[in-house]
Amino acid sequence: RVVSGLMVLARTPGAASKLSAQIREHDFGKTYLAVVHGAPSPLQGTYRDLLRRDPNERKTYVTDRMAKGVQEAVLDYDVLGTRAELSLVRIYLQTGRTHQIRMHFAALGHPLLGDTLYNKTPGTFPRQALHSASLSFVHPITGEPLNFHAPLPEDMQNLLT
């Protein structure tokens, strides 16, 4: 709701089913840009955690063991730049768990700027500094490979200049 950028909506149940299958099979590419507190170290890598969603609290938590409702979550990241205790990070989702990006970075001490759910000091940014920058997938009807890109919005650009 408070994230900028791209999203896909299926127009039919059949198309939705085919897009969901691409996501499950990791054939649906998603890249995000985020502004986080601090500088993740190393400057590029992979975060792999077990995440548990609490539907009553509407929050996701890192856990250390598999159990009912726990799912593995994996993302790759690159720090693109750092300025004034903030870093711009490019994130490649390998899995798409609820609140995955927000939880991964918060658990590692680099919460998203403006995130009021997982960041105890969200700062003054009026929303989560998270942007869906690119999507790539196969059209569910035609089979055509599709790639979409959305530039970083001005409000996030201004954080780093």
Side-chain angles (χ1 to χ4, degrees):
R1 293 179 212 161
V2 292
V3 173
S4 62
L6 301 166
M7 63 185 282
V8 174
L9 299 172
R11 295 178 73 185
T12 66
S17 177
K18 289 179 180 179
L19 289 170
S20 293
Q22 288 181 55
I23 292 168
R24 276 192 312 277
E25 295 164 12
H26 306 291
D27 293 331
F28 192 109
K30 295 184 259 183
T31 303
Y32 288 83
L33 295 170
V35 176
V36 302
H37 289 274
S41 180
L43 296 178
Q44 68 179 51
T46 300
Y47 288 158
R48 182 180 305 272
D49 282 313
L50 296 175
L51 299 183
R52 175 184 58 82
R53 176 91 174 134
D54 185 326
N56 296 324
E57 290 185 45
R58 300 185 69 177
K59 285 182 80 173
T60 299
Y61 297 92
V62 172
T63 185
D64 58 358
R65 60 189 160 124
M66 282 302 269
K68 184 178 180 182
V70 172
Q71 295 180 302
E72 183 178 43
V74 182
L75 63 78
D76 298 313
Y77 72 94
D78 298 298
V79 176
L80 300 177
T82 300
R83 181 184 172 274
E85 302 297 320
L86 297 174
S87 294
L88 178 64
V89 181
R90 180 175 39 216
I91 300 155
Y92 305 95
L93 281 182
Q94 291 187 33
T95 57
R97 310 297 181 219
T98 303
H99 297 183
Q100 177 179 345
I101 293 170
R102 298 165 68 190
M103 186 66 250
H104 270 287
F105 283 92
L108 293 163
H110 302 289
L112 272 63
L113 181 67
D115 185 352
T116 58
L117 188 61
Y118 296 104
N119 186 351
K120 291 179 176 43
T121 56
T124 58
F125 198 65
R127 64 179 182 88
Q128 295 169 37
L130 183 61
H131 175 71
S132 175
S134 70
L135 295 173
S136 59
F137 56 96
V138 173
H139 190 283
I141 306 303
T142 68
E144 176 186 1
L146 300 172
N147 296 290
F148 300 94
H149 303 276
L152 191 65
E154 190 174 329
D155 63 348
M156 287 178 66
Q157 288 179 30
N158 291 340
L159 292 169
L160 303 163
T161 58

